[in-house]
Amino acid sequence: FAKHEDVEHEGEEVEITGCVAQCPEEMVLPRSVEGKPVTKIGERAFYTKGEEGVVSKVTLPDRLVAIGDYAFGDNLLTDIFIPESVKHIGTHAFWSNRLTSAILSSNLETLGVVAFANNQLTTIDLPDGLISVGAYAFNDNNLTAISFGGQVQTIGRYAFFGNQLVALEFPDSLLDIGDQSFAFNSLVKVAFLGDRPTISASSFDDNAELRKVSYCLFAKGWPGELFFDGDLEAVDCDEDGDGVLDSSD
């Protein structure tokens, strides 16, 4: 059901490049071809190019390392499980589907721009190894909650624009939040656990109920300039995780 080609990448491996003819609605992609592991799904492999989506369910192989740009863009997927082997998800990889559930690999390192935009996701857990969330990555979903990994440093512009987020807690690894990253949500509570990151003046635009943002008492760079219509509040945290509040350490 799928054509493939061998590629040179740390030995002989297989890249799936698409369907031979019409793709089936449900696909189980092979773990190996002629004894060679399938490690990549190629750019635009199953992208419908603006036509009516076809693929509604796909099972990904457990040796997969990379999912290319637009690989499953503009289809009818409702849920996706990304195997633990996957480290890279390209731009627009799952853009414009009908996803209500996406479980990401805990080994994911890069997440491209617009990767999961224009879906119906309500929650997402970002893995600890993920350093950067690409621009528009989860734009235009139905997200009410996000769990950030402990190493995320940058959140691209419009990354979570146009969702239904109510509360956020940012890890102490965070360095930069882009323009409009969390604009047009329903935020009422935001907490920062580390030093003040670079925050665009528009990062939290159009969250009418956001009145208070908290930061840790001894974190550096706070309070700084306001970036929302409300108050910044210093709170006693346990930044080193030893179970003792910072003021008592």
Side-chain angles (χ1 to χ4, degrees), residues 123-146:
T123 62
I124 195 71
D125 292 334
L126 301 178
D128 279 340
L130 188 64
I131 302 298
S132 178
V133 179
Y136 298 87
F138 295 95
N139 176 56
D140 194 19
N141 274 271
N142 299 320
L143 290 171
T144 59
I146 308 169

Side-chain angles (χ1 to χ4, degrees), residues 139 143 158 160-166 168 178-190 200-211 213 227-230:
N139 176 56
L143 290 171
Y158 293 87
F160 296 96
F161 178 96
N163 279 279
Q164 300 172 25
L165 295 166
V166 175
L168 294 170
D179 295 341
Q180 301 275 318
S181 293
F182 296 95
F184 285 92
N185 275 274
S186 302
L187 290 169
V188 297
K189 181 180 179 181
V190 174
S200 168
S202 66
S203 293
F204 296 92
D205 275 1
D206 292 285
N207 284 279
E209 300 302 315
L210 183 59
R211 291 289 180 265
V213 171
F227 48 88
F228 69 109
D229 295 328

Side-chain angles (χ1 to χ4, degrees), residues 12-28:
E12 292 186 326
E13 300 175 354
V14 172
E15 173 183 346
I16 292 179
T17 60
C19 298
V20 173
Q22 178 79 5
C23 289
E25 290 186 10
E26 299 188 7
M27 297 190 299
V28 178

